Amino acid sequence: MIEVKGVSHQFNIGKKGSEKIVPVLHEINLHIKKREIVAIVGRSGSGKSTLLNLMSGYIRPVKGEIHVMGEQVTHLSEGQWADFRLRHFGFMFQSFQLIPSMTAYENIELPLVLQGMDTLKRKLRVQELMERVDLHDYAGHYPGELSGGQQQRVSVARALVLNPPIVLADEPTGSLDSENEMQLLGLIHELNRERGTTFVIITHDEQVAAIADRTVALADGRLKPGKEQVTYEV
Ligand SMILES: Nc1ncnc2c1ncn2[C@@H]1O[C@H](COP(=O)(O)OP(=O)(O)O)[C@@H](O)[C@H]1O
Ligand SMILES: [Mg+2]
């Protein structure tokens, strides 16, 4: 489903002339199979978000190749990536990243609008998702008028509204209380079984790692397989 082959990445920081190179990832190889739930763990600054951003084309690797669903995506243009992302990925973030000037309904609808779906179909799909995440009474609410847990459910519904084959999540439970966290993990598990959705989830959270089929750990820019061999801290 996703193949990361020999990927290395570094950031150049500082002013031109006195730039400093910060190596972040070294020769990463990771093969994520269809229907897998893979947890990526590792201490803060170990390169987890960078790896996810490489998989989704927000940054380009300085070395190596990435294939998603059989397609070599390393050299797609910005426009091609935007289109590719819309068709293949759903995203979940710790910070929700909702658009404050749009209602819950409009936030969830947005990917459907970008995809060009007609109004009636959009309405049915958004309503279905709102039911699913238990938000049907909040369609007209703006993010600022919703609790943290409700905002998170809006962002989850938006991530899933196009039925993406792959969901990439960066600390999706990071700001949730335990009840909302259990709900989200339940939903992830359900979608994985019902639809075969593949999940790649960055997490510090033992509960999330527990629902994963596999945990890989980043340390010193390198990937290490297996939960048992790894210690990590928040
Ligand atoms: N855009 C950037 N520019 C420069 N350095 C960055 C940038 N993004 C991340 N880094 C650095 O790369 C390293 C890994 O960051 P990140 O992938 O966000 O780690 P994690 O998600 O595991 O906490 C850190 O040292 C961070 O400071
Ligand atoms: Mg991060």
Side-chain angles (χ1 to χ4, degrees):
M1 209 63 177
I2 305 178
E3 269 192 279
V4 177
K5 296 183 181 176
V7 163
S8 298
H9 196 67
Q10 64 192 36
F11 291 103
N12 301 319
I13 57 166
K15 288 208 182 89
K16 250 198 151 89
S18 57
E19 285 162 330
K20 211 178 114 201
I21 293 174
V22 181
V24 178
L25 298 173
H26 304 280
E27 298 284 334
I28 301 290
N29 290 296
L30 177 61
H31 183 187
I32 289 160
K33 298 184 213 62
K34 190 169 159 50
R35 293 181 171 270
E36 250 191 328
I37 302 179
V38 175
I40 300 178
V41 301
R43 64 186 59 183
S44 183
S46 61
K48 304 181 298 297
S49 296
T50 302
L51 181 56
L52 215 66
N53 289 334
L54 286 164
M55 288 179 188
S56 51
Y58 287 109
I59 51 181
R60 308 305 165 98
V62 296
K63 186 167 168 253
E65 281 182 13
I66 297 169
H67 296 240
V68 177
M69 297 179 77
E71 209 173 313
Q72 209 319 12
V73 293
T74 325
H75 304 293
L76 294 185
S77 68
E78 291 294 322
Q80 288 170 325
W81 251 123
D83 181 57
F84 191 86
R85 247 178 246 127
L86 199 59
R87 283 185 290 123
H88 299 90
F89 292 119
F91 293 93
M92 296 179 187
F93 308 94
Q94 177 175 6
S95 54
F96 316 143
Q97 310 216 351
L98 299 176
I99 298 176
S101 59
M102 289 184 165
T103 62
Y105 183 98
E106 290 163 347
N107 267 283
I108 298 169
E109 187 189 33
L110 186 59
L112 304 177
V113 175
L114 293 174
Q115 198 211 33
M117 187 182 278
D118 69 57
T119 317
L120 184 63
K121 270 196 185 154
R122 289 206 304 261
K123 191 171 175 190
L124 292 173
R125 182 71 186 138
V126 175
Q127 280 172 348
E128 183 191 331
L129 256 295
M130 293 199 94
E131 283 299 323
R132 178 128 202 191
V133 297
D134 216 12
L135 276 175
H136 36 275
D137 293 335
Y138 297 90
H141 288 233
Y142 291 92
E145 301 165 348
L146 296 169
S147 72
Q150 289 166 336
Q151 289 180 48
Q152 209 273 352
R153 281 182 270 146
V154 174
S155 79
V156 166
R158 182 185 57 186
L160 301 174
V161 73
L162 284 174
N163 240 332
I166 304 167
V167 173
L168 302 180
D170 196 342
E171 313 245 10
T173 61
S175 43
L176 296 183
D177 59 35
S178 60
E179 192 189 328
N180 277 297
E181 177 186 342
M182 291 322 285
Q183 257 185 25
L184 178 59
L185 295 182
L187 184 63
I188 288 174
H189 209 234
E190 230 171 80
L191 282 170
N192 175 254
R193 269 180 311 178
E194 279 174 21
R195 299 222 174 97
T197 310
T198 303
F199 285 87
V200 183
I201 310 174
I202 293 176
T203 189
H204 276 118
D205 186 334
E206 304 261 358
Q207 307 268 26
V208 179
I211 68 154
D213 299 308
R214 183 155 67 100
T215 299
V216 295
L218 269 176
D220 303 322
R222 291 171 211 279
L223 209 53
K224 301 177 180 167
K227 201 168 171 177
E228 308 73 33
Q229 304 156 32
V230 176
T231 49
Y232 56 97
E233 57 191 11
V234 179

